[in-house]
Amino acid sequence: MPERERVGIPRARDAKNGLFDRGAIDESPQPFKKPLHCGGCTAPVVAMPGTQRRSAAGPVPVIPYYRLKNRKEHDHDDGCSYHFDERAGDLVTEHREEIERDADTYVLILRDPRSLAAPGDDEDDDGDGRMVRTDVESSGGAALHPTIQAARAIARLLRHFQNDPDALARFEATYHGARIPWTDFFFDAEQDAARLSDRLSAPNQYPIAVLGQATLIQPFKSGSGGRSVHLHTPRGAKGPDGRWVNAVMRASNPRFLGYAVGDAILGYGSWELYPESGGPRVAACLWCDTGSATVKFE
């Protein structure tokens, strides 16, 4: 299989040392002064305008990006933050039990959410006989499960590359032998609420990760001591029955959701749809039975 084209460079530095996002490429006139260099090192780059490419399904938009001017003469400097394959390789090294490389694709191994560590655990059996380290503490005081650690690291890398479609396509997840596109595993509550609802309505379910900003934190109305954390979803995001999708995390133990309004939170596990009778909303919900199911993203 031939190697894919390298992921586009999202930022470049111009002759006056100004730093420009890829959006500047399609401006007229272009605001930067050539020559251009990679935003993370000294490698010369060229600006590639947005365009369309043909596919069997019809035209596919290609966002503007910067690419190396001549990879053979001047590749990225060592340690460049925009050297995609080098940075992705760092993730494989750091999360070697959770991320595998398959040719030019990086695959996150999804562990069973039921193996999430209990508070105070130092390690856990993930269900396939392998002992996994869980030595990063979550907000609930539990050791953070390695799956959510690795998912957060990948998502941070993709955000660094401005969620470039080519970068997204280089990551997948796998669960019980099935390969899952990254965009079918990782959801942003603000951007992907409707798509999240569609995913949770499908018959073949698997653990997913949802990222969102906490907008409302409240105790259970029953007075049982539990807590709900609502993530921001736009009112225009409608689920399969036409109602607003409300992403929410709930825990019987409030310590497992020790967050504040405004926190960016990542939740990993068995998200489910809960139609709320008589109301305009349908809840995409994650029940957090341990403090290791969620973590601050930033």
Side-chain angles (χ1 to χ4, degrees), residues 218-229 249-258 285-291 293:
Q218 58 186 178
F220 286 177
K221 293 180 180 179
S222 64
S224 61
R227 176 176 295 168
S228 296
V229 176
M249 299 179 295
R250 293 174 174 145
S252 298
N253 185 338
R255 187 166 61 90
F256 293 161
L257 289 176
C285 180
L286 176 67
W287 277 95
C288 305
D289 296 323
T290 72

Side-chain angles (χ1 to χ4, degrees), residues 7-294:
V7 172
I9 301 165
R11 291 187 177 89
R13 196 171 295 278
D14 77 344
K16 294 184 177 180
N17 205 34
L19 193 62
F20 294 87
D21 287 346
R22 52 167 53 105
I25 298 172
D26 284 345
E27 292 184 23
S28 182
Q30 291 175 326
F32 45 71
K33 181 176 177 57
K34 298 178 181 179
L36 301 173
H37 293 81
C38 171
C41 69
T42 63
V45 301
V46 293
M48 305 298 294
T51 184
Q52 289 187 336
R53 63 175 174 230
R54 295 179 181 178
S55 73
V60 177
V62 178
I63 62 176
Y65 66 98
Y66 302 97
R67 68 165 177 81
L68 293 173
K69 184 175 183 179
N70 190 318
R71 178 176 169 183
K72 292 182 179 179
E73 289 186 5
H74 195 154
D75 204 337
H76 287 283
D77 298 343
D78 289 342
C80 174
S81 63
Y82 289 128
H83 189 327
F84 178 83
D85 286 316
E86 191 172 274
R87 300 288 71 77
D90 291 342
L91 294 186
V92 175
T93 300
E94 184 178 356
H95 303 276
R96 64 186 67 208
E97 294 295 323
E98 313 308 315
I99 304 174
E100 296 179 346
R101 183 169 184 175
D102 180 9
D104 56 1
T105 300
Y106 302 89
V107 184
L108 172 65
I109 302 169
L110 303 185
R111 306 295 180 189
D112 191 328
R114 291 173 296 180
S115 71
L116 292 173
D121 285 353
D122 293 322
E123 58 182 15
D124 193 21
D125 186 330
D126 70 358
D128 63 5
R130 301 168 70 187
M131 299 306 292
V132 293
R133 293 188 64 191
T134 55
D135 55 359
V136 178
E137 188 172 288
S138 74
S139 69
L144 187 61
H145 195 269
T147 301
I148 197 171
Q149 291 183 50
R152 179 175 62 173
I154 293 171
R156 284 173 169 172
L157 175 67
L158 292 172
R159 177 175 284 193
H160 182 65
F161 280 84
Q162 299 178 1
N163 289 315
D164 183 295
D166 289 330
L168 290 167
R170 297 283 293 274
F171 281 95
E172 295 181 357
T174 181
Y175 189 64
H176 291 173
R179 292 282 280 264
I180 304 162
W182 185 258
T183 52
D184 285 341
F185 161 72
F186 192 96
F187 297 83
D188 184 302
E190 182 175 3
Q191 304 295 329
D192 306 322
R195 197 166 57 80
L196 170 63
S197 176
D198 288 340
R199 171 65 258 164
L200 297 181
S201 300
N204 54 329
Q205 295 299 317
Y206 46 81
I208 63 172
V210 178
L211 171 66
Q213 184 181 47
T215 58
L216 175 64
I217 299 174
Q218 58 186 178
F220 286 177
K221 293 180 180 179
S222 64
S224 61
R227 176 176 295 168
S228 296
V229 176
H230 296 254
L231 306 180
H232 174 62
T233 54
R235 289 187 175 273
K238 296 182 179 179
D241 61 359
R243 291 189 292 168
W244 172 36
V245 181
N246 180 36
V248 58
M249 299 179 295
R250 293 174 174 145
S252 298
N253 185 338
R255 187 166 61 90
F256 293 161
L257 289 176
Y259 299 103
V261 170
D263 285 346
I265 309 166
L266 180 64
Y268 169 74
S270 299
W271 287 77
E272 298 181 67
L273 281 182
Y274 288 87
E276 299 180 1
S277 60
R281 300 178 298 178
V282 57
C285 180
L286 176 67
W287 277 95
C288 305
D289 296 323
T290 72
S292 53
T294 68

